[in-house]
């Protein structure tokens, strides 16, 4: 275990019905200084966002003492799929991610969030995997020119048939061979796959660069305590391996948090802070 601890990131997950400024204000009031921006309407719909608007969002976040550290383009629900067997859709998707990289740089972010996409249901998985690897290599190469690192998140099987486990993420890292590509551990995707934090440390090691820490049953992307995942044990294992990056509370909950997303975030953050405080005390006693 190292002396550094992870940082809880604010985010606009769950805030789709609120102005982004309201989200920024609540995150600042909750003590957040780092922020993961989900690129959705009405906050930051990337196909419509100009460079000037991105810089304005960066300044607006700074007004609340927040720094946008990670840009997460919407890429699961929308028709964005870098592994698509449809050439036109794939070209559209790759153009979208190149634009996302440009906007991430304008926002002052250091991380661009990626997923592998999904191959065709009637083709061999290797074909979709190869298209995804080629696309990720193109995106990462362009992002590197802009000074960005990229993080690849394994998805649930309902979302992807290419990268849903730590081992498949490691295989994709090997196929892409981009020095600026790491991996995101999403606790729900990990639980759905029946995996553990140790599986991630064993598979990707020091290429674990980002964490989405949420509860689930095992799916659901819930606030801490609304599911049955052992988040306390998961967090301890994440820290024990030396992770000191961002911890984002990615709230979806099938819309259950829309009425008061701030309360759900604060509840989760307090629980995370308690565990991190305990771990900090342990580090201080060594």
């Amino acid at each position: 275990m190292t002396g550094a601890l992870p940082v809880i990131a604010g985010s606009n997950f769950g805030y789709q019905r609120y102005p982004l400024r309201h989200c920024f204000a609540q995150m600042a009031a909750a003590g957040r200084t780092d922020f993961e921006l989900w690129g959705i309407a009405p906050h930051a719909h990337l196909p419509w966002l100009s460079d000037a608007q991105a810089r304005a969002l960066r300044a607006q976040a700074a007004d609340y003492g927040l720094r946008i550290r990670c840009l997460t383009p919407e890429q699961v629900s929308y028709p964005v799929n870098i592994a698509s067997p449809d050439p036109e859709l794939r070209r559209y998707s790759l153009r979208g991610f190149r634009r996302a990289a440009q906007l991430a740089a304008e926002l002052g972010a250091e991380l661009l969030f990626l997923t592998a996409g999904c191959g065709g249901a009637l083709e061999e998985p290797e074909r979709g995997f190869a298209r995804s690897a080629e696309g990720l290599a193109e995106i990462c190469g362009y992002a590197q020119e802009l000074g960005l690192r990229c993080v690849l998140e394994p998805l649930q099987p309902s979302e992807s048939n290419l990268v849903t486990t730590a081992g498949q993420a490691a295989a994709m890292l090997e196929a892409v061979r981009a020095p600026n590509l790491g991996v995101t551990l999403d606790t729900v995707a990990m639980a759905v796959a029946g995996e553990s934090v140790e599986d991630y440390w064993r598979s990707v090691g020091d290429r674990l660069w980002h964490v989405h820490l949420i509860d689930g049953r095992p799916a659901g992307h819930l606030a801490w305590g609304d599911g049955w995942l052992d988040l306390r044990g998961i967090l301890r294992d994440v820290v024990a391996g030396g992770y000191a990056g961002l911890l984002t509370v990615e709230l979806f909950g099938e819309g259950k948090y829309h009425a008061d997303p701030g309360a759900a975030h604060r509840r989760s953050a307090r629980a995370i802070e308690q565990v991190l405080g305990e771990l900090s005390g342990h580090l201080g006693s060594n």
Side-chain angles (χ1 to χ4, degrees), residues 15 55 76 80 97 139-140 158 182 184 196 198 214 241 247 269 272:
Y15 279 86
R55 291 192 292 271
V76 177
V80 177
F97 276 108
I139 297 164
C140 290
S158 60
T184 294
S196 67
E198 178 56 35
I214 55 276
L247 299 171
I272 296 170

Side-chain angles (χ1 to χ4, degrees), residues 54-131:
R55 291 192 292 271
L57 286 180
R58 179 180 182 175
Q60 187 180 111
D63 288 342
Y64 291 93
L66 296 168
R67 176 187 168 198
I68 298 173
R69 300 276 306 279
C70 179
L71 175 61
T72 298
E74 177 50 59
Q75 55 198 285
V76 177
S77 298
Y78 287 17
V80 177
N81 182 8
I82 63 171
S84 174
D86 183 296
E88 185 175 356
L89 180 57
R90 187 166 178 271
R91 284 193 295 270
Y92 167 81
S93 301
L94 290 170
R95 286 196 303 270
F97 276 108
R98 289 176 68 92
R99 178 59 181 151
Q102 294 169 349
L103 291 168
E106 296 291 348
L107 289 162
E110 63 195 55
L111 296 177
L112 176 63
F113 195 98
L114 305 176
T115 58
C118 192
L122 299 180
E123 66 177 354
E124 293 297 321
E126 292 79 7
R127 298 182 66 180
F129 190 94
R131 288 193 300 270

Side-chain angles (χ1 to χ4, degrees), residues 246-265:
L246 300 179
L247 299 171
T248 300
V249 180
E250 187 189 21
L251 294 171
F252 287 120
E254 297 179 349
K256 68 180 293 182
Y257 303 117
H258 283 160
D260 194 352
H265 173 86

Side-chain angles (χ1 to χ4, degrees), residues 19 54 95 107 136 139 150 153 172 181 223 240:
R95 286 196 303 270
L107 289 162
L136 288 169
I139 297 164
C150 300
E153 181 190 55
M172 187 61 81
L181 179 62

